């Protein structure tokens, strides 16, 4: 089997798993997450993926046809896949999610990268905007410094339009607006500009027709860059580390979201809170999880992202954890998170 064939097989297997779970899972009653594959089925899929993706040097190869269709997903698995829109029909409006937490080291960028990868794997067109001056999302998806000549900084400062800043990644259907070190100076430069809180919204508004999902990876601070992302977003997804100090940071973040909603973006909502770096050997992780669920209820995802060394290793290889090691507990958890996000987004579209 050639490298390209192995890469394509990876894409097909992952697409089949996520697509099959995305819509037909309402009647299933087993598994920690509704619609998740049975444990033996997921293990079998992981084994097949490991054999097919082994020795792959470049991750996923670009694919031109629908992922779910190639993988033989059942009819109705995804409405857009099973019943494609007529040629020329308008696409549904892309939902913009800001992935934010002012506390660093909570798995925010890791969540942005792997959630975007999982959504793209089912054939959804995904745009990831790296709004963190550290540029970790860009690095984690394999972009070199030379590929960041135009990015989020130029977009915010009006030096480039969205289409000029978008770069492809190794993941089919996933594109990125990269970040460079220049973005670190944007905070000071934005202060003197008109509509400084609306620069991101004005830059992307009306230009997202080619995408189903837009994710914005925010910096680990409550700055103008984060406010710009929240003003441009429909909702905020909050990664929350299962440690005590994270609870204090969560209350501060929720207050900021409320202030943005009351003054700048009345439609802004909390899409969900995902618990990260969960250590089942640690009683504190259990206590933090229980406290957050008691406070926020259904806003907290059922899926919990565990501590996992393979997730930490993946960025150094310039690929998402889902590609680096599909069998790792962290990768499996991010696949389950993608199922939940798809279901929540579908419920919002149905209610609209």
């Amino acid at each position: 089997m050639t490298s390209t064939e192995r890469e394509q097989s990876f894409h097909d297997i992952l697409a089949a798993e996520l697509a099959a779970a995305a819509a037909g899972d309402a009647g299933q009653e087993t598994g920690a997450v509704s619609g998740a594959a049975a444990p033996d089925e997921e293990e079998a899929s992981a084994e097949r993926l490991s054999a097919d993706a082994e020795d792959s040097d470049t991750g996923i190869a670009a694919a031109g046809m629908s992922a779910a269709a190639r993988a033989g997903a059942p009819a109705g698995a995804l409405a857009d896949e099973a019943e494609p829109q007529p040629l020329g029909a308008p696409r549904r409006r892309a939902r913009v999610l800001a992935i934010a937490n002012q506390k660093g080291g909570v798995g925010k960028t890791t969540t942005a990268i792997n959630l975007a990868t999982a959504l793209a794997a089912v054939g959804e067109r995904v745009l990831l905007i790296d709004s963190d001056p550290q540029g970790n999302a860009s690095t984690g998806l394999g972009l070199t410094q030379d590929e960041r000549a135009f990015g989020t900084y130029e977009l915010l400062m009006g030096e480039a339009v969205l289409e000029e800043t978008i770069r492809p990644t190794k993941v089919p259907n996933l594109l990125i607006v990269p970040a460079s070190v220049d973005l670190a100076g944007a905070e000071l430069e934005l202060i003197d500009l008109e509509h400084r809180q609306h620069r991101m919204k004005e830059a992307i508004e009306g230009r997202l027709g080619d995408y189903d999902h837009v994710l914005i990876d925010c910096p680990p601070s409550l700055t103008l860059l984060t406010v710009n992302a929240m003003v441009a977003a429909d909702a905020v997804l909050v990664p929350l580390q299962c440690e005590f100090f994270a609870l204090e940071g969560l209350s501060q973040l929720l207050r900021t979201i409320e202030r943005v909603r009351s003054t700048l973006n009345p439609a802004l909502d909390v899409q969900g809170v995902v618990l990260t770096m969960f250590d089942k050997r640690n009683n504190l992780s259990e206590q933090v999880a229980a406290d957050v669920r008691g406070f926020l209820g259904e806003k907290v995802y059922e899926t919990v992202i565990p501590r996992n060394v393979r997730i930490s290793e993946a960025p150094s290889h310039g690929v998402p954890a889902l590609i680096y090691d599909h069998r790792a507990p962290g990768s499996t958890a991010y696949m389950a998170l993608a199922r939940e996000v798809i279901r929540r987004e579908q419920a919002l579209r149905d209610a609209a």
Side-chain angles (χ1 to χ4, degrees):
M1 181 179 290
T2 67
S3 175
T4 298
E5 289 172 338
R6 286 194 298 269
E7 293 159 0
Q8 188 61 65
S9 181
F10 169 91
H11 185 64
D12 291 345
I13 292 172
L14 183 56
E17 286 186 356
L18 292 175
D25 52 281
Q28 294 185 13
E29 298 180 355
T30 59
V33 178
S34 175
D40 55 342
E41 293 174 353
E42 291 215 352
E43 180 63 26
S45 296
E47 293 297 333
R48 291 196 304 272
L49 175 67
S50 176
D52 291 337
E54 189 177 6
D55 299 326
S56 176
D57 296 323
T58 58
I60 299 177
M65 60 190 297
S66 161
R70 284 197 316 273
L78 281 176
D80 290 343
E81 295 295 337
E83 298 179 7
Q85 296 180 348
L87 186 63
R91 297 173 65 92
R92 66 175 183 263
R93 177 182 175 275
R95 287 268 297 175
V96 181
L97 297 181
I99 300 179
N101 192 323
Q102 81 280 4
K103 187 178 185 301
V106 300
K108 174 181 57 60
T109 297
T110 299
T111 297
I113 292 172
N114 288 288
L115 177 58
T117 299
L119 292 171
V122 297
E124 301 283 273
R125 290 273 295 177
V126 183
L127 177 64
L128 174 60
I129 300 177
D130 189 352
S131 193
D132 184 349
Q134 298 176 89
N136 291 336
S138 304
T139 301
L141 285 171
L143 270 73
T144 65
Q145 292 298 324
D146 291 340
E147 295 175 296
R148 308 184 198 186
F150 286 94
T152 307
Y153 172 80
E154 288 74 18
L155 187 65
L156 290 173
M157 304 310 296
E159 298 177 7
V161 297
L162 180 63
E163 291 79 7
E164 294 174 321
T165 64
I166 295 173
R167 298 290 178 269
T169 70
K170 297 176 182 178
V171 182
N173 299 320
L174 173 57
L175 295 93
I176 186 171
V177 176
S180 67
V181 293
D182 294 336
L183 192 57
E187 288 288 335
L188 292 176
E189 297 180 53
L190 284 171
I191 291 176
D192 296 326
L193 298 180
E194 294 183 359
H195 308 292
R196 57 180 177 270
Q197 300 100 331
H198 296 79
R199 302 290 291 190
M200 177 69 75
K201 180 179 181 179
E202 293 172 352
I204 66 176
E205 199 166 36
R207 296 179 176 272
L208 303 177
D210 291 335
Y211 304 98
D212 300 301
H213 304 275
V214 178
L215 308 182
I216 305 177
D217 183 31
C218 299
S221 56
L222 298 178
T223 63
L224 265 177
L225 292 176
T226 302
V227 171
N228 261 270
M230 291 184 181
V231 172
D234 295 292
V236 180
L237 190 153
V238 183
L240 183 70
Q241 186 179 11
C242 292
E243 293 187 359
F244 174 75
F245 289 128
L247 292 176
E248 293 185 341
L250 176 62
S251 61
Q252 183 180 359
L253 178 62
L254 293 177
R255 286 195 297 270
T256 299
I257 294 172
E258 182 56 38
R259 286 197 295 269
V260 172
R261 178 165 46 219
S262 62
T263 60
L264 298 168
N265 183 3
L268 186 65
D269 191 17
V270 177
Q271 208 267 5
V273 174
V274 56
L275 300 172
T276 64
M277 300 184 182
F278 182 85
D279 188 346
K280 62 183 179 181
R281 302 167 299 178
N282 188 338
N283 290 335
L284 180 59
S285 289
E286 296 280 3
Q287 185 61 52
V288 169
D291 289 346
V292 174
R293 293 188 190 280
F295 179 57
L296 293 174
E298 294 183 355
K299 285 291 185 181
V300 184
Y301 291 104
E302 289 295 325
T303 301
V304 174
I305 310 299
R307 285 191 178 275
N308 182 231
V309 67
R310 305 299 273 176
I311 292 179
S312 301
E313 293 173 350
S316 65
H317 296 267
V319 293
L322 285 169
I323 298 176
Y324 182 63
D325 187 353
H326 171 77
R327 295 175 297 174
S331 298
T332 302
Y334 275 116
M335 290 167 60
L337 175 62
R339 296 185 185 107
E340 286 197 75
V341 170
I342 289 171
R343 286 197 295 274
R344 290 194 184 191
E345 292 295 295
Q346 186 62 52
L348 289 170
R349 286 195 294 269
D350 292 344

